[in-house]
Amino acid sequence: MTDDRVRGFPAFGAAGHLARSWWGRAWVRAMEDTALDLRQLKKGRRYAAAGLVGPITVSPGRIAAVVDDADGGPYRTELRLAELSDVDWTRFFDRVASRAGHLAALLDRDMPHDLVEAADDAGVHLLPVIGDLDPECDCPGWELPCRHAAALSFQASWLLDADPFVLLLMRGRGEREIREELESRLAPVVSAVAAADRTPGPLPELDAFRPSGSPSIPAAPGVPAEVFALLAANASAQARAVLAGEPWPGRRPDAVRLAAEFPAVAERLGTGEEFDRAVAAWTFGGRDGLEVLDSAWTPPKPVLAAARAALADEDPVFERNHCTIGALQLRLDRRGRWHPYRLDGDTWWPSGPPEPDPGLLTG
């Protein structure tokens, strides 16, 4: 298993705002409720907005940065948060795996209220409360938190807005480890349903989906036998999506999905350049691929800063979640993957599977 228990984030720069997610605000409240001097909080908020906090490092039980100060410094500052025990993690995994929607929400960088409440009911407290955050700083001040720790805490809430896995990392486990653990728990169930949906190449005959010993079912007049196979495979795909907590696509996305997964019926579902681009987007990137084809969104600043650093030698041009480098365009989905597009005439076409590192797509 690949370990990702240390994560680095570039400095935000001057980017003052309040935490937007409910879990980011809960983090700020835990820090504010502990403060002995509200003046330090106000200074910390100004320091965070002014971009005086340097690159941030997150690891189990710890978030750290160097914070500048006009009156001295820079100062090494960190916040500590107790890690969950192995028993707590087992309880947490059990709760998430018991409702597939929780897993889908986490993978979509969301932290549902009912997931946190379910974990609390099991004695597993994800979000910090008063007294949980332990600030440390090598500045001469005696207040806790000092303005430097407060500044770091405010910016930490911005990181949590973009990615709740930052909180889970502080509690002791990295994103890959969490994904692998949850997928291993769901895999036996999903595999049992997915076994009926293995349809590489041409559409299988109906016999591939008929239980052993079942009676023969005659085809309806004018309806090819492969249509029944398509319906069976489609039902299997729907069942798998339900198990994974994924919403089923609407009419157009579903037609695109069917055309991508069953080329033999593609012409019956849609034609034209726009539809062909949508099918290509789904073929390479699934639901996320279609979403980045159809719509744009504004990613968090740390995500864009990391992409700029990865593409520093390419002279990229960023516009919301699109990054253009000559005849190549990369589009970021909400799961943090970059989808490559190539320019064909005046039209951008999906050209390959997505990658989390945009630098891997520029060769």
Side-chain angles (χ1 to χ4, degrees):
M1 177 184 64
T2 303
D3 191 8
D4 61 342
R5 293 192 177 194
V6 178
R7 294 179 62 183
F9 298 88
F12 279 95
H17 59 77
L18 301 177
R20 298 186 178 95
S21 64
W22 73 269
W23 58 89
R25 293 193 296 271
W27 172 279
V28 171
R29 282 197 302 272
M31 183 265 299
E32 292 176 337
D33 290 344
T34 306
L36 301 177
D37 186 346
L38 295 181
R39 292 174 300 177
Q40 296 298 314
L41 292 184
K42 292 180 180 179
K43 290 181 180 179
R45 190 185 297 277
R46 290 199 297 270
Y47 279 26
L52 298 182
V53 181
I56 298 174
T57 301
V58 183
S59 57
R62 178 177 177 271
I63 181 168
V66 171
V67 182
D68 208 348
D69 193 320
D71 297 330
Y75 297 107
R76 291 187 296 273
T77 305
E78 65 181 45
L79 301 166
R80 294 189 176 274
L81 181 65
E83 298 179 45
L84 299 178
S85 67
D86 290 341
V87 172
D88 287 338
W89 277 109
T90 298
R91 292 174 180 167
F92 172 73
F93 290 138
D94 287 343
R95 289 289 174 160
V96 176
S98 68
R99 288 188 56 182
H102 286 161
L103 174 58
L106 273 180
L107 298 182
D108 201 31
R109 300 296 191 269
D110 188 16
M111 181 77 78
H113 273 284
D114 58 346
L115 169 57
V116 175
E117 293 168 356
D120 284 339
D121 291 343
V124 181
H125 305 299
L126 300 176
L127 290 166
V129 295
I130 182 171
D132 282 352
L133 290 176
D134 183 15
E136 294 184 12
C137 184
D138 62 3
C139 73
W142 60 269
E143 307 91 342
L144 291 176
C146 65
R147 55 187 179 272
H148 312 108
L152 174 58
S153 190
F154 282 119
Q155 289 205 359
S157 72
W158 305 348
L159 292 178
L160 293 177
D161 275 349
D163 188 354
F165 280 103
V166 171
L167 173 63
L168 298 177
L169 176 56
M170 286 200 69
R171 286 300 196 183
R173 300 288 178 94
E175 179 176 350
R176 292 191 186 93
E177 186 176 2
I178 292 171
R179 284 174 176 264
E180 290 171 4
E181 177 65 31
L182 292 173
E183 288 170 0
S184 70
R185 290 168 180 251
L186 291 174
V189 180
V190 175
S191 295
V193 176
D197 194 24
R198 299 191 181 101
T199 57
L203 287 173
E205 296 297 327
L206 180 60
D207 288 339
F209 297 95
R210 182 182 299 125
S212 177
S214 63
S216 175
I217 304 175
V223 181
E226 63 265 21
V227 171
F228 289 102
L230 171 60
L231 293 174
N234 194 50
S236 174
Q238 284 186 279
R240 191 170 64 251
V242 170
L243 286 173
E246 299 174 353
W248 195 243
R251 180 175 298 178
R252 175 180 175 271
D254 199 28
V256 171
R257 178 189 66 82
L258 287 169
E261 296 178 2
F262 304 99
V265 297
E267 292 184 1
R268 304 180 189 179
L269 297 169
T271 57
E273 180 178 288
E274 181 181 353
F275 188 78
D276 290 344
R277 289 177 69 229
V279 171
W282 190 286
T283 299
F284 288 125
R287 188 192 306 268
D288 294 330
L290 185 61
E291 182 180 359
V292 297
L293 171 70
D294 288 341
S295 61
W297 61 289
T298 303
K301 290 184 178 180
V303 175
L304 293 180
R308 290 181 188 277
L311 300 171
D313 297 333
E314 304 291 343
D315 194 23
V317 177
F318 285 85
E319 182 177 0
R320 302 188 73 183
N321 66 318
H322 293 182
C323 170
T324 305
I325 308 168
L328 170 68
Q329 186 175 90
L330 308 179
R331 300 187 181 187
L332 179 67
D333 67 30
R334 296 180 186 274
R335 298 182 191 272
R337 301 179 305 166
W338 294 89
H339 299 245
Y341 279 65
R342 294 287 178 181
L343 194 60
D344 184 358
D346 296 328
T347 305
W348 290 104
W349 279 83
S351 61
E355 291 283 354
D357 181 356
L360 297 176
L361 299 170
T362 58

